[in-house]
Amino acid sequence: MTTFNPQNGTINRQWVLASRPVGAPALSNFNFLESEKPTPKQGEVLLRTVYLSLDPYMRGRMSDAKSYAEPVGINEVMVGGTVCRVEASHHPDYEIGEWVVAYSGWQDYSISDGSGLLKLGKAPAKPSYALGVMGMPGLTAYMGLLDIGQPQAGETVVVAAATGAVGSLVGQIAKLKGCKVIGIAGGEEKCRSAVEDLGFDACIDHKSPDLAEQLAKTCDKGIDVYFENVGGKVFDAVLPLLNPSARVPLCGLISQYNATELPKGPDRMPMLMGTLLVKRIKMQGFIVFDDYGHRYNEFSQDMMQWLQEGKITYREDLVEGLENAVESFIGLLDGKNFGKLVIKVGPDEL
Ligand SMILES: NC(=O)c1ccc[n+]([C@@H]2O[C@H](COP(=O)([O-])OP(=O)(O)OC[C@H]3O[C@@H](n4cnc5c(N)ncnc54)[C@H](OP(=O)(O)O)[C@@H]3O)[C@@H](O)[C@H]2O)c1
C-alpha cells in the first residue's frame, strides 16, 4: 500500500466497491486501487482530501435495494463527505489553498467544477468540524430534535447511539432546552462519558440483559421524545414507555443495516400500531438534506454560538490513513467508534 506523500504525490488512492455486501461488509467487498492524480481542465479545480467522513448511511449505498438515493456502482469509488484543499485551480471562484467541503468520496484526489462545494476559507480553525458538529450530523440532530421532536422544558428525552455523532448532539441540545435526558449506548465507558462529559442525566447500556427494566426505572415519568437512531431491541424497550402525545423523530435504524431478513419472533406490528393510535404518538422519518438542507443557516448560527460559549462538547474519533477506511467503517456498524468517525486522509498543509 502507498502511504500518502504530499511532496511527490502523483498517485490517487481510491476505495472502490468490488461487490455488494450480504450482511456485515467485509474487506473483500472493496478494492484499494491506485490511479494517476487527475488534472483539472478549464473551469475545474483539483481537490486533495484531508478529512473523510464515515457515516452509517454508506451501508445503504453499498446495497442496490430501493432507497432514497442511488447505490454506488460496482467498481465505483465509495461516496462520502470530505474536507479538502484546493491544490490546483482553473476556476475563477477558487484559489489554491482554500478549504472546501465536498462530496468527493473515499480517495485522495478529485476534480470539481465547483458545484456542491462549500467554502471554509483559507484557515478554518477546525476544518473537520464541517463533517460533524457543524455539518450533516449536527444538522440532523438539531432539526430532528427541534422540528420533529419539539422538546419542552421538563420533558424526558431519550436518545439512542447516545455518544455518536448525532446522538451526542441530540442529548446536549435537549439539555439546553431544559429537558431530562437519558442516553442509551453500548458499554460502560460510553455510558459514563454520556453523563460525565456530555451532561446527560443518565445513560443505559443496551448490552445489559435488563435494558427494559433499567430504562423503565430511569424514565419514571415516561418518555416524551424518543430520538430513534437504532431500532431493534432498543425500540422494543422504549415503546411501552412512550407517553401520550410523545414525538419520535425517526432518524436511523442502524441495528438493521446489516440484516438479511426480518427479525424472528412474534409480529410486533399490532402493538406498535395500537400504541401509536391510543397514545396519539407522532413518529416521523426524515432525510436530513432533502428535508432540512434549506435550513442550514438557522442551525449553524445556533450551533456556532453554543460551541463558542462552551455549551456543546464534541468528540471526534479520528483515524489516520485512507487505507484504514474500510476497517473503520465496519467498526462503526459494530459500535467501535467513540464519537464522530473521521478519517485523516492527508496532511493539513499544502
Ligand atoms: N435521517 C438522516 O438524515 C440521518 C442523518 C445522519 C445520521 N442518521 C442516522 O443516525 C444514526 C446515528 O448516526 P451517527 O452518524 O451518529 O453514527 P454514530 O452514532 O456515530 O455511530 C453509530 C453507532 O450506532 C451504535 N450501534 C451500532 N449498532 C447498534 C446496534 N445493533 N444496537 C444499538 N446501537 C448500535 C453504536 O453505538 P453504541 O456503541 O453506543 O451501540 C455505533 O457507535 C444512524 O442510524 C444513521 O443512519 C440519519
Side-chain angles (χ1 to χ4, degrees):
M1 280 183 191
T2 309
T3 308
F4 187 85
N5 181 345
Q7 271 72 43
N8 62 6
T10 55
I11 286 172
N12 187 21
R13 300 169 308 159
Q14 303 176 309
W15 277 110
V16 301
L17 186 66
S19 57
R20 301 205 180 279
V22 178
L27 198 53
S28 57
N29 295 123
F30 304 87
N31 278 328
F32 199 43
L33 304 180
E34 293 183 351
S35 60
E36 288 254 316
K37 178 160 94 174
T39 310
K41 298 197 288 277
Q42 200 51 42
E44 293 180 338
V45 289
L46 172 67
L47 301 178
R48 179 172 62 73
T49 314
V50 183
Y51 297 99
L52 163 67
S53 181
L54 293 184
D55 301 278
Y57 76 84
M58 292 167 171
R59 179 64 186 86
R61 299 296 180 282
M62 295 168 194
S63 159
D64 57 6
K66 198 168 163 44
S67 184
Y68 62 91
E70 287 296 308
V72 173
I74 297 300
N75 294 324
E76 282 181 7
V77 176
M78 273 303 303
V79 292
T82 52
V83 166
C84 304
R85 294 200 80 172
V86 176
E87 202 175 88
S89 179
H90 300 304
H91 191 298
D93 298 341
Y94 293 90
E95 286 177 41
I96 290 176
E98 269 186 284
W99 291 80
V100 293
V101 181
Y103 195 68
S104 50
W106 300 24
Q107 58 183 341
D108 286 313
Y109 291 100
S110 61
I111 298 288
S112 168
D113 64 2
S115 27
L117 297 185
L118 177 74
K119 284 179 175 241
L120 295 176
K122 282 228 158 165
K126 308 251 190 200
S128 61
Y129 277 31
L131 301 173
V133 63
M134 290 305 301
M136 186 277 281
L139 181 65
T140 303
Y142 181 94
M143 285 299 167
L145 178 69
L146 298 183
D147 196 59
I148 301 174
Q150 303 270 333
Q152 308 298 310
E155 288 189 327
T156 299
V157 174
V158 172
V159 59
T163 61
V166 175
S168 62
L169 298 172
V170 167
Q172 291 182 85
I173 298 168
K175 283 304 299 177
L176 289 172
K177 299 293 172 189
C179 300
K180 174 177 171 178
V181 175
I182 315 298
I184 301 175
E188 203 181 310
E189 195 191 358
K190 286 185 176 179
C191 285
R192 193 178 329 109
S193 171
V195 175
E196 290 177 5
D197 305 328
L198 304 177
F200 293 11
D201 295 280
C203 185
I204 296 165
D205 183 353
H206 65 75
K207 295 175 183 164
S208 308
D210 60 343
L211 163 69
E213 291 78 8
Q214 283 194 51
L215 190 65
K217 209 166 140 201
T218 313
C219 300
D220 53 347
K221 292 191 184 131
I223 298 171
D224 301 297
V225 180
Y226 173 55
F227 194 101
E228 176 63 292
N229 282 326
V230 164
K233 70 176 183 186
V234 174
F235 184 71
D236 289 343
V238 164
L239 183 63
L241 304 176
L242 291 173
N243 286 331
S245 302
R247 286 81 65 202
V248 181
L250 179 43
C251 174
L253 294 166
I254 196 166
S255 75
Q256 303 175 19
Y257 291 174
N258 285 332
T260 52
E261 56 183 19
L262 288 172
K264 304 243 176 319
D267 179 2
R268 291 176 336 271
M269 188 65 85
M271 184 184 168
L272 171 65
M273 301 288 266
T275 308
L276 295 186
L277 172 65
V278 299
K279 291 189 175 168
R280 285 82 107 200
I281 289 163
K282 174 177 152 186
M283 180 184 268
Q284 186 182 323
F286 66 104
I287 303 297
V288 67
F289 282 131
D290 294 1
D291 297 325
Y292 293 112
H294 62 290
R295 291 175 67 179
Y296 177 80
N297 287 346
E298 192 184 321
F299 146 75
S300 72
Q301 277 170 15
D302 274 350
M303 189 56 84
M304 185 69 81
Q305 190 177 340
W306 289 333
L307 280 171
Q308 281 164 355
E309 291 170 355
K311 290 181 174 162
I312 291 279
T313 296
Y314 176 60
R315 177 180 181 134
E316 265 179 354
D317 188 339
L318 197 67
V319 176
E320 285 284 338
L322 183 61
E323 62 276 15
N324 296 313
V326 170
E327 203 184 322
S328 302
F329 181 75
I330 293 169
L332 175 83
L333 298 172
D334 210 16
K336 297 221 168 65
N337 65 306
F338 194 166
K340 171 71 192 100
L341 184 56
V342 176
I343 300 288
K344 183 82 192 291
V345 177
D348 285 26
E349 308 75 39
L350 264 190

